[in-house]
Amino acid sequence: MSIFNVYLTGVGGQGIGLLSGALGTAIVDVGHKVLGCETHGLAQRGGVVVSHLRVGEGAYAPRVPPGQADLVVSLERLEGLRGAVNMLRPGGRIIFYDAEYQPIAVRMGEAVYPKVSDIEAEVASKGGTVERVFDEDLSDPRMQNVALLARVAALGAIDKITPARLEKAIAASVPAKLLETNLEVYRRNLGL
Amino acid sequence: MSIKQNLTNPEPWAGLAMGNEAVARAMIEVSTRVITTYPGSPVPEIATTLNLIAPEHRDFYFESSTNEKVALEVATGGSLNGHLSTVFFKSVGLNVASDSLIQLSMLELIGGLVVILGDDPGANSSQNEQDNRIWARMSYIPMLEPGSPTEAYQMYKEAAALAKRQRGPVFLRLTTHVCHAREVVQFAAMSGEEPDWTPRFDANNGPYWPIAAAVFPLKRKALQKLQAYEALAEESPLNRVLAPHGVAPVDSKRLGVISAGIPAYSVLENIDQAGATVDLLKLGITYPLPSQKILAFLEAHDEVVILEELERVLEGEIKALAYDNSVKCRILARPDWDQVMGEFDPVRSYKLLAGFWPKAFEPRDFPEPSAEVVPRPPQLCPGCGHRSAFHAVKKAIESDTITVADIGCHSLGSLPPYNMGEVLLCMGHSVSTGAGLAVKNDTRKVVSFLGDSTMFHAALPGIINAIIYNHNVTLVLLDNGTTAMTGHQARHGSGEIGDKIPIIGLLETLGVQKILDVDSYNQRKLIAYVQEANAHEGFAVVIARHPCMLKFTRASRKKSPGLKLPKIAVNPEQAADALPAMEQFGCPTFQRTEDDQVGVSEDLCIGCGSCIMSAAPGTLKIQRPLAPAPASAPSPDGAKSPGAKSPGGVK
Ligand SMILES: Cc1ncc(C[n+]2csc(CCOP(=O)(O)OP(=O)(O)O)c2C)c(N)n1
């Protein structure tokens, strides 16, 4: 079986751990082999955080090589663009949550924050597909990850990872107190 | 099955685990008794995992010591008493611990000692990418090198068994992406041994006294043990040949690769994808090397590539071996000097192999980034007291002042927009490097920054030195009450570990003439204090304190989920006055709007109000949520923070 490379990205503090945790668990549950890798340390202070999931036999090294991601999942727009530029393979797919966290150069007026159309143009140049996710009614930004997971499942972006499967994995990862609100957001964003 | 629920499961089980978690389970499985550490990436999650077990339910002793040398010594003592002991820390921690480490192979450590290193090829979270394989050679300590979580788990157990049997130290060298890789790991049953805390130290097991002529019998013993390890390495299945596509010549040449750790897995992936009939000798025990096994591999091949990360350690030793044995095999290795930098992922290893053997690894084009993307360096969190401190110090000092950085979250002060901290060596250097910069320097003032955790780790000798010679340095001690950078481990003397050690009292007792103490949010006072300290001839300390707001806010939210925090609002009549808050104070909460005004990110703002003093009066205001008004955050020493009227919402 060939390798299916998933590259997850976002900004430190956005909760990428839940993305990789829930997806990793679901992927194992459906019987696929998975090898992953996370970022810890310095970058978690508002820098770029990434997580790799390599699905299938034949992946021995834990990180997705540049330009070889079949699927890029991003919690933020600029990081979505970075993922598209550096990691997406030709013909790959990107799903991003349209949150905006400006890096210091933008805040200091030395650089410009990208537009959604910048991601679309980049992905189009690679012959890939792009989906923007945004939930108007989100009560807490720390549930953007759950909204994003819902779209990953609803689009069938990873083999056998159905909405029901992923919901089970989320339930196993989210603290009990917060589960109900999280599942509400998840189900709403399935859009089924 | 998750490690959280199964860490102490007595039965065998399998589940997704990170390298660090797998190692923690291995420690418990084989009944490791004395475990010590000092936090540092990439290994702090070993401690997080061990801490899942409450102290009263542990049949091991675990401490986070004041620094790596202390941690190593405590674990050594445990082993001298007959307990299987383990110490773990990051790569550069070994520099701190090395003065004690270097003796260990000469001593009979009757319980066995495993020294776990978190090396960091690629400098993912360190100030260098030093190759600690060289330390194994210098200290005569054998080394095991896993390349995956499963191997990390297995090799810890093997290292522990060897250390016990040989009554000495053994290195387990993890690297960043072994620590943080995740896969399904098959765990075995617990040994279930009852703890026996009898102190079995016996000087007759020694001598334990390596001084002058007494060194040589001990050194001889260390070298003899190394011989025994080499014999073990010859037998060990950890050093094995993988031939996924069988052994057949390519272009009438028999080809092989020798590698270890993650680079070996990059090569395996390359061999697999190319369908190449190339064999791989994957070394698990990388010191001492199994000479016979390596010679046999060389002799079975016409060409062998040595593919390693960082220094040319395997290359040098294997080439010497081949030379001494007149081996005919052609040995190839990284041709360029810059290849001793950075990690070897499958792209880099493929390029290297294709360069040598284009018939086996057809040259491929690998995608290059198609455009430049605005970088996103890490930054201080909303509400961070360090930001307030850097902002104030910048205003307080002359433009030619020399600023010295140290290691911690506060290292980020060196980045824009603060640019405070122009030289950085390692943890705890700042006072003494600053002292040297101040020598015979009557014109430019020196300001050194230091974190509270780092002060206890390695800076106290430098502080005492500065007091004794009255070096003309202002120390700005950034006291957030915790070890923030590495994940909020309790700081020694904070009250979370042992009793409080009052920092002011400590500095006074040591003899610091000028000590000024202020909450960092109080910009006016902090600026005045820094100027006062700089006017003082000699060593002066300004303590700029505020609790870590990331830790504080997380704790508040955990306590009351759904907590609504107050938010900052920009007074629309003074919109232009808010620009300094965004561009100079630089809290990430402030986001540039399309018309170049200052917007507030509702997601990021914690309503701490630390920004208010960075803009003209009346520009920024706190808007309280409808919920009852929250209380002030406590300062590290328990006092109320004057500038922080509403940082949290926890009583
Ligand atoms: C010798 C050594 N050990 C451990 C580390 C990992 N490390 C980086 S920063 C830090 C502690 C910082 O704590 P503190 O000085 O209180 O600053 P804070 O991050 O809380 O601002 C540690 C332990 C290191 N860089 N070097």
Side-chain angles (χ1 to χ4, degrees):
Chain A
M1 176 184 166
S2 63
I3 308 165
F4 187 81
N5 287 316
V6 185
Y7 181 76
L8 312 169
T9 179
V11 177
Q14 277 196 292
I16 198 174
L18 178 72
L19 279 192
S20 63
L23 284 174
T25 305
I27 291 167
V28 170
D29 283 350
V30 301
H32 290 317
K33 192 175 167 223
V34 71
L35 178 59
C37 194
E38 293 160 25
T39 329
H40 291 261
L42 187 76
Q44 286 176 307
R45 297 286 174 270
V48 185
V49 291
V50 303
S51 188
H52 308 252
L53 289 170
R54 310 191 68 201
V55 188
E57 302 292 331
Y60 295 100
R63 286 180 302 157
V64 175
Q68 296 186 27
D70 298 278
L71 173 66
V72 170
V73 179
S74 176
L75 283 159
E76 198 264 356
R77 193 197 297 169
L78 171 60
E79 294 323 309
L81 178 62
R82 199 187 313 282
V85 166
N86 294 334
M87 299 302 293
L88 195 68
R89 73 160 166 81
R93 167 185 252 166
I94 166 164
I95 306 173
F96 76 101
Y97 193 92
D98 200 11
E100 172 173 346
Y101 295 101
Q102 297 173 353
I104 186 67
V106 172
R107 285 185 276 127
M108 289 177 78
E110 292 165 357
V112 178
Y113 192 81
K115 298 188 171 53
V116 172
S117 58
D118 293 329
I119 302 187
E120 287 165 348
E122 175 65 28
V123 176
S125 78
K126 290 186 162 165
T129 53
V130 54
E131 162 128 358
R132 172 183 179 271
V133 183
F134 192 78
D135 181 345
E136 298 277 349
D137 303 320
L138 215 54
S139 61
D140 186 329
R142 280 163 304 142
M143 289 189 291
Q144 291 163 347
N145 50 15
V146 175
L148 191 56
L149 281 173
R151 297 310 302 154
V152 172
L155 291 167
I158 304 172
D159 181 46
K160 294 191 194 155
I161 304 303
T162 59
R165 278 283 179 188
L166 197 52
E167 181 169 323
K168 235 180 91 189
I170 291 171
S173 316
V174 173
K177 272 197 257 182
L178 302 171
L179 186 58
E180 205 170 309
T181 28
N182 274 278
L183 288 185
E184 214 173 278
V185 170
Y186 179 76
R187 290 179 191 138
R188 181 167 76 228
N189 281 279
L190 285 174
L192 298 177
Chain B
M1 294 249 238
S2 81
I3 197 95
K4 269 203 176 120
Q5 284 124 29
N6 291 279
L7 183 58
T8 55
N9 185 344
E11 303 300 323
W13 63 281
L16 264 181
M18 195 163 73
N20 283 335
E21 296 168 337
V23 167
R25 161 80 187 192
M27 285 182 191
I28 298 169
E29 256 181 39
V30 300
S31 301
T32 312
R33 292 295 180 224
V34 176
I35 307 173
T36 61
T37 188
Y38 182 77
S41 275
V43 286
E45 298 81 14
I46 298 178
T48 319
T49 309
L50 292 173
N51 281 330
L52 291 172
I53 309 172
E56 63 274 19
H57 293 126
R58 292 174 190 166
D59 55 13
F60 55 90
Y61 173 80
F62 176 45
E63 76 168 44
S64 179
S65 314
T66 37
N67 70 28
E68 291 86 350
K69 181 168 182 281
V70 174
L72 181 91
E73 288 155 357
V74 173
T76 300
S79 174
L80 286 168
N81 254 347
H83 310 307
L84 173 60
S85 302
T86 292
V87 57
F88 59 96
F89 43 67
K90 75 180 275 135
S91 57
V92 293
L94 191 54
N95 303 335
V96 178
S98 61
D99 207 10
S100 288
L101 174 101
I102 203 83
Q103 318 302 330
L104 294 184
S105 60
M106 295 195 281
L107 309 184
E108 284 294 300
L109 302 178
I110 58 173
L113 175 68
V114 182
V115 180
I116 302 179
L117 304 173
D119 272 15
D120 191 14
N124 298 279
S125 50
S126 314
Q127 63 266 37
N128 65 45
E129 51 170 2
Q130 71 184 52
D131 190 336
N132 280 330
R133 294 179 302 165
I134 291 173
W135 270 110
R137 275 85 188 157
M138 191 145 119
S139 60
Y140 309 135
I141 298 177
M143 178 172 272
L144 275 58
E145 284 190 72
S148 68
T150 295
E151 284 186 351
Y153 161 76
Q154 291 167 342
M155 287 193 198
Y156 175 82
K157 292 173 55 166
E158 181 65 17
L162 290 173
K164 256 162 77 168
R165 178 146 35 107
Q166 299 290 98
R167 298 161 42 118
V170 174
F171 276 129
L172 180 70
R173 178 181 183 254
L174 308 176
T175 55
T176 297
H177 293 113
V178 171
C179 291
H180 296 155
R182 280 207 304 158
E183 66 178 348
V184 173
V185 179
Q186 174 66 57
F187 296 105
M190 286 294 180
S191 84
E193 243 173 69
E194 280 300 311
D196 169 6
W197 290 108
T198 315
R200 294 207 152 76
F201 177 75
D202 182 350
N204 292 322
N205 287 323
Y208 290 110
W209 198 75
I211 298 270
V215 164
F216 293 97
L218 296 181
K219 182 167 176 179
R220 183 163 291 118
K221 202 158 71 174
L223 292 167
Q224 279 165 349
K225 279 192 186 176
L226 213 50
Q227 303 282 309
Y229 273 116
E230 183 170 342
L232 288 166
E234 297 287 3
E235 308 286 303
S236 172
L238 297 179
N239 296 323
R240 65 187 195 279
V241 178
L242 304 167
H245 296 278
V247 188
V250 182
D251 203 15
S252 76
K253 281 189 220 141
R254 296 161 304 163
L255 306 179
V257 178
I258 302 178
S259 190
I262 285 190
Y265 281 123
S266 294
V267 170
L268 192 59
E269 193 167 312
N270 298 153
I271 292 174
D272 207 41
Q273 277 180 353
T277 52
V278 172
D279 319 321
L280 170 65
L281 172 56
K282 184 180 178 302
L283 298 173
I285 301 178
T286 57
Y287 186 71
L289 289 178
S291 308
Q292 294 312 312
K293 218 175 226 175
I294 290 172
L295 278 174
F297 189 79
L298 293 176
E299 269 152 11
H301 295 87
D302 298 301
E303 292 186 1
V304 164
V305 168
I306 298 165
L307 200 151
E308 63 191 316
E309 227 162 44
L310 303 181
E311 305 309 321
R312 298 177 184 277
V313 175
L314 298 179
E315 182 183 337
E317 292 179 14
I318 292 173
K319 281 181 173 170
L321 189 68
Y323 180 86
D324 289 347
N325 290 276
S326 310
V327 168
K328 282 213 281 303
C329 171
R330 187 161 172 241
I331 298 176
L332 305 161
R334 296 169 295 170
D336 300 318
W337 62 269
D338 62 351
Q339 286 169 329
V340 302
M341 293 197 287
E343 295 171 271
F344 268 83
D345 70 355
V347 171
R348 203 166 175 211
S349 59
Y350 194 98
K351 285 181 183 164
L352 189 91
L353 294 171
F356 291 128
W357 300 325
K359 288 258 162 63
F361 300 91
E362 219 169 273
R364 283 169 54 189
D365 278 335
F366 289 98
E368 295 289 334
S370 42
E372 286 274 322
V373 182
V374 191
R376 185 190 298 278
Q379 58 189 0
L380 298 167
C381 306
C384 180
H386 299 345
R387 166 179 299 102
S388 295
F390 290 123
H391 187 252
V393 174
K394 191 169 185 168
K395 291 197 165 157
I397 61 175
E398 305 289 336
S399 62
D400 66 351
T401 299
I402 304 172
T403 56
V404 185
D406 211 286
I407 298 212
C409 283
H410 44 85
S411 304
L412 299 174
S414 299
L415 303 180
Y418 321 106
N419 307 103
M420 287 285 98
E422 301 157 295
V423 52
L424 176 64
L425 301 182
C426 63
M427 276 184 83
H429 87 108
S430 67
V431 172
S432 325
T433 303
L437 284 160
V439 166
K440 299 279 180 196
N441 166 6
D442 298 329
T443 49
R444 299 175 66 190
K445 190 69 205 185
V446 179
V447 173
S448 293
F449 297 101
L450 182 69
D452 54 331
S453 193
T454 303
M455 181 177 98
F456 288 97
H457 170 277
L460 284 172
I463 289 174
I464 293 171
N465 189 70
I467 295 166
I468 289 170
Y469 294 103
N470 200 26
H471 282 297
N472 193 14
V473 173
T474 296
L475 167 62
V476 177
L477 182 63
L478 299 154
D479 180 8
N480 58 4
T482 187
T483 317
M485 179 91 277
T486 44
H488 301 124
Q489 293 84 3
R491 183 261 277 164
H492 299 85
S494 65
E496 282 178 82
I497 301 183
D499 291 338
K500 283 197 183 197
I501 301 176
I503 292 181
I504 297 176
L506 176 67
L507 294 173
E508 275 170 358
T509 306
L510 290 175
V512 181
Q513 300 289 317
K514 190 170 254 328
I515 305 168
L516 300 160
D517 172 42
V518 59
D519 188 293
S520 314
Y521 281 13
N522 191 338
Q523 296 280 289
R524 262 185 295 274
K525 201 162 172 189
L526 181 50
I527 291 171
Y529 276 2
V530 171
Q531 286 168 340
E532 185 182 335
N534 278 350
H536 174 85
E537 258 314 296
F539 187 57
V541 181
V542 178
I543 302 173
R545 78 191 134 70
H546 199 85
C548 170
M549 294 306 281
L550 180 61
K551 185 178 183 181
F552 183 80
T553 311
R554 274 188 192 157
S556 310
R557 287 196 160 126
K558 203 167 175 191
K559 244 186 182 172
S560 25
L563 175 76
K564 289 268 178 268
L565 297 173
K567 301 286 162 194
I568 275 292
V570 178
N571 177 356
E573 274 154 38
Q574 282 175 252
D577 292 344
L579 282 171
M582 177 168 71
E583 294 175 352
Q584 291 159 29
F585 188 70
C587 179
T589 288
F590 298 114
Q591 305 267 309
R592 191 171 284 274
T593 61
E594 279 185 3
D595 51 354
D596 277 327
Q597 299 288 317
V598 178
V600 173
S601 163
E602 294 273 312
D603 298 2
L604 294 174
C605 187
I606 58 167
C608 66
S610 62
C611 56
I612 292 175
M613 287 170 113
S614 71
T619 311
L620 301 172
K621 278 210 178 89
I622 291 181
Q623 272 182 345
R624 289 180 190 286
L626 296 173
S632 300
S635 283
D637 62 1
K640 291 275 177 187
S641 321
K645 290 281 150 41
S646 50
V650 164
K651 304 239 158 60

